Amino acid sequence: MSINSKNLVPVLHAEWVGSQTAVLIDTISIDSRSLQNGAQTLFFALSGTNNDAHLYISELIEKGVQNFVVQYIPDNCLGKANFLIVKNSITALQKFAGYYRDLFHFPIIGLTGSNGKTIVKEWLNFLLSPDYNIIRSPKSYNSQVGVPLSIVAINEKHNLGIFEAGISTVNEMDNLEKIIKPTIGVLTNIGSAHDEGFLNLVQKIDEKLLLFKESEVIIYQKNEIVDSCLSQFLAEYMLNTRILFSWSYTDKQADVFIQKKENITGTNTLEYQYKGETFDLEIPFLDSASVENSITCLLVLLYFKYDFAIIQSRMQLLYPVKMRLEVKNGIHNCSIIDDSYSSDFQSLKIALDFLESQKKNAKKTVILSDIFQSGFSNSELYSKVAQLISDNKINRIIGIGETITSFKDQFSNIITFQNKEDFIKNFENLAFENETILIKGARSFQFEEIVALLEEKTHETILEINLDSISHNLNFFKSKLGANVKIMVMVKAFGYGNGGLEIAKLLEHHKVDYLGVAFADEGISLKNGGIMLPIMVLNPESTSFPSIIQYQLEPEIYSIKGLNAFLKIAQEKNLKNYPIHIKLDTGMHRLGFEENTLDELIATLKGNTTVQIQSILSHMATSDEARHYDFANSQIQLFEKLSSKLMNALNVNPIRHILNTSGISNFPDAQYNMVRLGIGLYGVSNDLSEQKYLENVGTLKSIISQVRTIPAGDSVGYGRRFMAEKETKIATIPIGYADGISRLWGNEVGYVMIKNQKAPIVGSICMDMLMVNVTGIDCKEGDSVIIFGENPTVTQMADALKTIPYEILTSISQRVKRVFFR
């Protein structure tokens, strides 16, 4: 990309404010935190309900960014940079992407549907890349913002594009169509994802078809509903010259008629009839979703006129797509970011941003294979990669591959190996310790072996944490807040069992205002992990006050005794205006100053300059129970009375906060200056109408260790509490009460999910194992098992066990490995 910034004025319908000197733009950015922002970056300051990037423009100017698309110029920034002022910066980003797309004239495949978009995109990239230089959406960049960012990565060397378009409601696809303008339209599986945004299935299909207004062909699975929608779509937009290219299992009128033949070998043979001929195509999948996605790819290859031999040779090599970046614990106190299945320039930029946001150790290492399909010459490509590595302040890079080895002179801090085997031979000499390691490799390099070498060895039960879901839930609750209301996020109890430091890193990346922990050691752990956000300690013990001061944590003070103890230590250390938080008891009767102790509190603090009140808070006892809302309102009224008295008497104006997660939703008029978000961040709400808007964060997974069949009359487990009434197939799962699974969940109260089917837990749950009834489930040793996640949810488990979701989450043992992914 090389675009004159002033030429964008008519494109964006913008007003230019700045110097008369135009700048050549080579990068687009919307993330103020990216280390890749620089002098030739055009920064779009997006403003929405959850965040306003205009607030960070001053910081960006200090870092060298000089060109901004804004809705307004922030105070103290006028004259310091060039500004393109627009009505709406998101619309401007989309206009820019549409303008940039029009600079290129090559085939573009546009993918939309409910399911399978990303997998089909990655498979098409694999299948077509031997013959084309492909630009594709990185990861799942298919939204109103993700699509423009995907398009602006096109360069002059590309000759085929593959882009996803995802929508969640009406009136969204028209924007994406103007940006992608696909010449080849592909409609993947239409399922129930995002149904809540549409009146019915027909409205959903109609909206998705809008992507194909300029497509020369539409590829889809033939059925009555889609055919009807297509007929109306073509008539409405007078597109009757368009080619419809369909497939079906049942309708022989489809262009490609498919029949499945499952093989003993774990593969499928698809018999397909096309243009009067019949072919057998072997694919390495049995599950229906993968088979459908494979057929979609087949139709694209047929449309591109590939012969049968090439189709067969390439499609039998299709592979499961790993669609996420994973954070794992590594050997010798390392942290591993696993992106070991793809290596292209655009996804490298994304992975490096993720590395910066999730680094546990200051030292950063990148293990990188040769890069494919960049669209640049090798010389230009590795020059850009070297600059990217430098911009991201990577301490060392380990290059693996013949090409990156031949360009090692471009890098200042690189060790190279010709292949993965050479790297493994020298592994012990590379001294991995106390560093964050990004592993980024093309699939052909099989870097999963490197991940296995570096990964900490633990047992096969894992808790997967979806960082994207945490971001979604955070933004959902932020959207409920008034202007200028701060947010404290609770990461106590090891992030409600999900992992404290990793989640704190993400929250710091999202620029939340405060973190909350229960005890000082939790805060110290976060500070040692590099967290710079202010951290409030809610239950500080007086013995921890010296450590709190040493690590610059901020204590909650809830009694005169505690206040005097802290003041004594603070005075001994000659502190001035050290931040403290005053807790008021308004009815919870757990911790806090009551009304009759307020005068003594005021007398103790009046004129004291050793500490300063950073905030005044209280805790609601019944914010989630409608039958106790009168009591909740009485707490809010008492908080207003007591906090106002304290502020007036001491002539201070600190932050005030009383609302927790359910309080944010149920008492919006009591947000004061800050709210405290807890369980809602982790995808749990006490309100069923609100729950559907939250995303599941944690999925507890294990595997089947052993499968056996027992005859009628035999028993399972301690105490023979399960007796088989008939021949029964039993699977053993390596997770038990030592991992945090309540014994009350056993004896057919609870269940796990195997192959999307319920398997009841039989007999007593053991310390390290549990047994399930898998009669009727086609499963084997090594198959995946879901303990909780989407089904059963922690809320369902809690209801059955007559407890609360908090207890389920926080009970998961530290010996269960946490894997974080995006």
Side-chain angles (χ1 to χ4, degrees):
M1 179 187 297
S2 183
I3 294 178
N4 186 307
S5 57
K6 273 205 163 181
N7 290 348
L8 296 177
V9 171
V11 172
L12 306 182
H13 302 107
E15 175 191 354
W16 175 276
V17 176
S19 73
Q20 295 305 305
T21 306
V23 176
L24 285 179
I25 300 299
D26 68 3
T27 305
I28 300 301
S29 177
I30 62 167
D31 189 350
S32 63
R33 300 154 298 196
S34 175
L35 298 178
Q36 298 160 35
N37 295 320
Q40 291 183 286
T41 297
L42 179 61
F43 185 85
F44 284 78
L46 304 189
S47 180
T49 54
N50 304 318
N51 207 352
D52 184 358
H54 294 77
L55 301 175
Y56 312 119
I57 287 177
S58 180
E59 295 176 23
L60 286 164
I61 292 173
E62 291 180 10
K63 294 176 181 177
V65 180
Q66 281 293 297
N67 298 278
F68 298 88
V69 176
V70 298
Q71 293 170 200
Y72 63 90
I73 301 175
D75 293 341
N76 304 319
C77 291
L78 187 62
K80 296 181 180 179
N82 297 322
F83 296 96
L84 288 153
I85 304 176
V86 297
K87 287 184 179 179
N88 184 293
S89 48
I90 293 179
T91 302
L93 175 64
Q94 294 171 342
K95 286 180 180 176
F96 174 83
Y99 158 78
Y100 189 73
R101 160 70 177 91
D102 286 340
L103 300 178
F104 301 92
H105 306 283
F106 52 75
I108 297 284
I109 299 172
L111 294 154
T112 192
S114 302
N115 306 298
K117 297 184 293 295
T118 302
I119 292 170
V120 170
K121 177 197 69 186
E122 292 299 324
W123 283 353
L124 287 177
N125 176 68
F126 169 77
L127 294 165
L128 297 170
S129 60
D131 310 302
Y132 294 91
N133 196 351
I134 298 173
I135 176 68
R136 70 192 192 280
S137 310
K139 306 297 178 188
S140 297
Y141 272 39
N142 59 27
S143 66
Q144 300 291 306
V145 172
V147 167
L149 295 177
S150 300
I151 290 291
V152 299
I154 298 173
N155 68 49
E156 293 76 8
K157 302 293 178 63
H158 294 124
N159 57 14
L160 178 66
I162 310 174
F163 296 102
E164 300 178 49
I167 56 171
S168 56
T169 188
V170 295
N171 301 320
E172 289 185 346
M173 188 60 86
D174 196 48
N175 294 333
L176 302 185
E177 189 278 331
K178 291 173 183 174
I179 301 167
I180 300 174
K181 298 184 181 73
T183 58
I184 299 166
V186 176
L187 185 66
T188 65
N189 175 274
I190 298 291
S192 59
H194 303 297
D195 270 358
E196 65 273 8
F198 303 93
L199 294 175
N200 50 47
L201 182 62
V202 169
Q203 186 186 57
K204 185 178 186 178
I205 295 171
D206 287 343
E207 181 73 12
K208 290 181 181 293
L209 290 177
L210 295 176
L211 179 63
F212 307 139
K213 283 194 288 189
E214 293 191 21
S215 299
E216 62 196 32
V217 61
I218 300 172
I219 294 169
Y220 70 106
Q221 181 179 6
K222 187 176 180 63
N223 65 57
E224 194 172 312
I225 297 175
V226 175
D227 280 341
S228 174
C229 292
L230 268 169
S231 178
Q232 184 175 338
F233 167 70
L234 296 176
E236 183 176 349
Y237 291 97
M238 294 181 289
L239 302 175
N240 292 317
T241 59
R242 299 297 189 262
I243 299 169
L244 298 182
F245 192 31
S246 64
W247 70 271
S248 177
Y249 292 128
T250 57
D251 189 344
K252 291 191 175 181
Q253 299 303 309
D255 298 291
V256 181
F257 180 66
I258 307 281
Q259 291 180 290
K260 290 190 288 186
K261 302 176 183 177
E262 192 169 311
N263 303 323
I264 302 174
T265 58
T267 61
N268 252 322
T269 297
L270 302 178
E271 180 187 275
Y272 68 94
Q273 297 172 17
Y274 176 57
K275 289 187 174 181
E277 295 189 67
T278 300
F279 304 90
D280 278 351
L281 174 67
E282 188 172 304
I283 58 171
F285 304 106
L286 295 177
D287 66 287
S288 58
S290 295
V291 172
E292 282 192 19
N293 293 332
S294 300
I295 294 170
T296 300
C297 292
L298 167 65
L299 263 70
V300 174
L301 294 180
L302 291 173
Y303 180 75
F304 273 70
K305 295 182 169 55
Y306 279 89
D307 64 38
F308 172 74
I310 292 178
I311 292 174
Q312 176 62 78
S313 64
R314 293 184 186 176
M315 288 196 64
Q316 67 186 1
L317 298 176
L318 289 179
Y319 52 90
V321 173
K322 190 167 71 173
M323 294 184 292
R324 61 201 194 185
L325 289 155
E326 291 185 342
V327 183
K328 304 174 179 178
N329 290 330
I331 60 173
H332 308 314
N333 197 38
C334 289
S335 176
I336 310 299
I337 297 176
D338 180 3
D339 196 13
S340 57
Y341 83 104
S342 71
S343 182
D344 59 85
F345 186 66
Q346 188 69 1
S347 67
L348 175 61
K349 295 170 73 174
I350 293 168
L352 287 170
D353 276 341
F354 185 65
L355 167 63
E356 180 61 24
S357 70
Q358 281 294 311
K359 67 178 189 291
K360 286 187 189 177
N361 303 287
K363 183 181 178 183
K364 296 183 289 185
T365 295
V366 173
I367 300 176
L368 182 66
S369 77
D370 290 344
I371 295 177
F372 302 129
Q373 301 165 342
S374 69
F376 305 110
S377 67
N378 281 338
S379 178
E380 186 179 7
L381 169 63
Y382 286 99
S383 174
K384 287 178 174 289
V385 172
Q387 186 60 53
L388 205 56
I389 294 295
S390 175
D391 290 345
N392 281 272
K393 299 178 173 58
I394 303 302
N395 299 89
R396 70 167 168 170
I397 178 168
I398 298 172
I400 300 177
E402 294 180 4
T403 307
I404 195 170
T405 298
S406 66
F407 286 93
K408 64 182 180 182
D409 291 344
Q410 300 269 17
F411 301 85
S412 60
N413 53 348
I414 194 169
I415 306 168
T416 62
F417 298 94
Q418 289 286 325
N419 50 51
K420 176 196 64 183
E421 288 70 27
D422 284 346
F423 168 87
I424 291 173
K425 285 178 188 175
N426 288 276
F427 179 75
E428 295 298 331
N429 300 323
L430 293 171
F432 291 103
E433 188 174 9
N434 298 317
E435 54 199 297
T436 303
I437 306 166
L438 169 64
I439 301 175
K440 189 95 177 78
R443 182 175 173 271
S444 59
F445 282 82
Q446 298 179 320
F447 273 13
E448 60 269 20
E449 293 181 39
I450 293 176
V451 174
L453 277 175
L454 285 166
E455 192 175 0
E456 183 181 51
K457 307 304 180 283
T458 55
H459 74 116
E460 291 159 307
T461 296
I462 62 172
L463 180 61
E464 288 187 345
I465 309 300
N466 187 333
L467 296 175
D468 285 338
S469 293
I470 288 181
S471 298
H472 168 88
N473 296 338
L474 173 67
N475 287 332
F476 172 77
F477 285 102
K478 284 174 72 174
S479 71
K480 293 175 173 284
L481 303 184
N484 302 316
V485 175
K486 299 178 185 294
I487 188 164
M488 173 188 287
V489 181
M490 310 309 295
V491 291
K492 61 182 181 177
F494 192 54
Y496 287 57
N498 292 287
L501 179 58
E502 293 82 0
I503 291 173
K505 288 280 186 188
L506 180 66
L507 296 171
E508 189 165 59
H509 190 66
H510 281 294
K511 299 182 184 287
V512 304
D513 300 284
Y514 259 92
L515 298 178
V517 298
F519 299 105
D521 57 350
E522 295 176 314
I524 291 168
S525 177
L526 295 180
K527 288 293 186 181
N528 285 333
I531 297 298
M532 304 299 292
L533 286 174
I535 299 173
M536 177 178 160
V537 182
L538 283 82
N539 305 327
E541 297 147 323
S542 58
T543 54
S544 69
F545 286 158
S547 296
I548 284 174
I549 293 169
Q550 179 184 350
Y551 286 92
Q552 296 184 304
L553 305 173
E554 301 179 16
E556 174 189 287
I557 302 295
Y558 50 81
S559 69
I560 290 294
K561 180 181 177 184
L563 175 60
N564 286 329
F566 189 81
L567 286 174
K568 181 182 179 192
I569 294 172
Q571 288 162 356
E572 289 171 356
K573 294 181 177 294
N574 296 315
L575 298 182
K576 284 285 185 185
N577 297 321
Y578 195 91
I580 62 171
H581 302 261
I582 299 297
K583 176 75 169 284
L584 302 178
D585 182 2
T586 56
M588 180 80 166
H589 296 327
R590 189 171 65 178
L591 293 174
F593 290 93
E594 295 180 288
E595 186 170 9
N596 61 7
T597 64
L598 219 57
D599 289 339
E600 187 177 2
L601 171 63
I602 291 168
T604 305
L605 287 175
K606 201 153 196 173
N608 191 304
T609 58
T610 306
V611 296
Q612 99 177 358
I613 300 176
Q614 191 73 6
S615 82
I616 303 172
L617 67 147
S618 189
H619 200 104
M620 298 180 73
T622 61
S623 62
D624 58 341
E625 296 184 57
R627 63 194 176 99
H628 289 307
Y629 278 180
D630 286 344
F631 181 76
N633 281 313
S634 73
Q635 279 196 269
I636 294 168
Q637 292 163 12
L638 183 56
F639 178 66
E640 172 66 29
K641 175 185 173 183
L642 299 185
S643 60
S644 295
K645 178 179 179 179
L646 190 58
M647 291 162 64
N648 292 332
L650 297 174
N651 193 27
V652 294
N653 187 28
I655 299 168
R656 289 191 286 177
H657 48 113
I658 189 172
L659 298 185
N660 55 4
T661 294
S662 49
I664 293 170
S665 300
N666 296 329
F667 299 92
D669 294 335
Q671 291 179 1
Y672 287 97
N673 316 97
M674 187 160 75
V675 297
R676 301 188 301 271
L677 177 61
I679 194 72
L681 183 77
Y682 307 99
V684 177
S685 172
N686 292 305
D687 183 346
L688 290 178
S689 64
E690 183 176 80
Q691 182 66 54
K692 66 183 179 182
Y693 296 108
L694 300 179
E695 293 186 358
N696 178 66
V697 168
T699 301
L700 183 60
K701 302 173 74 171
S702 193
I703 64 164
I704 297 175
S705 296
Q706 191 172 32
V707 179
R708 60 169 52 79
T709 299
I710 63 172
D714 273 18
S715 62
V716 174
Y718 289 117
R720 306 194 73 198
R721 290 185 174 86
F722 174 80
M723 303 292 293
E725 295 180 357
K726 59 183 178 180
E727 186 176 85
T728 305
K729 188 162 70 167
I730 300 294
T732 301
I733 318 298
I735 183 172
Y737 60 77
D739 299 294
I741 306 302
S742 171
R743 292 183 78 246
L744 297 174
W745 189 235
N747 296 308
E748 297 178 275
V749 173
Y751 62 92
V752 302
M753 296 296 292
I754 299 174
K755 298 289 185 71
N756 294 317
Q757 298 178 70
K758 289 184 179 181
I761 299 171
V762 295
S764 297
I765 291 175
C766 309
M767 181 181 289
D768 309 301
M769 286 170 279
L770 58 82
M771 287 69 74
V772 297
N773 186 341
V774 292
T775 306
I777 300 176
D778 181 18
C779 61
K780 60 185 183 301
E781 293 172 7
D783 281 350
S784 180
V785 178
I786 304 296
I787 314 300
F788 66 64
E790 297 285 356
N791 183 24
T793 66
V794 292
T795 300
Q796 290 168 336
M797 291 180 71
D799 288 345
L801 298 175
K802 295 180 171 52
T803 183
I804 56 176
Y806 299 75
E807 184 175 358
I808 305 294
L809 289 172
T810 57
S811 295
I812 302 305
S813 166
Q814 296 289 304
R815 79 177 186 178
V816 173
K817 179 173 69 173
R818 271 71 173 172
V819 173
F820 300 84
F821 68 90
R822 285 184 66 182

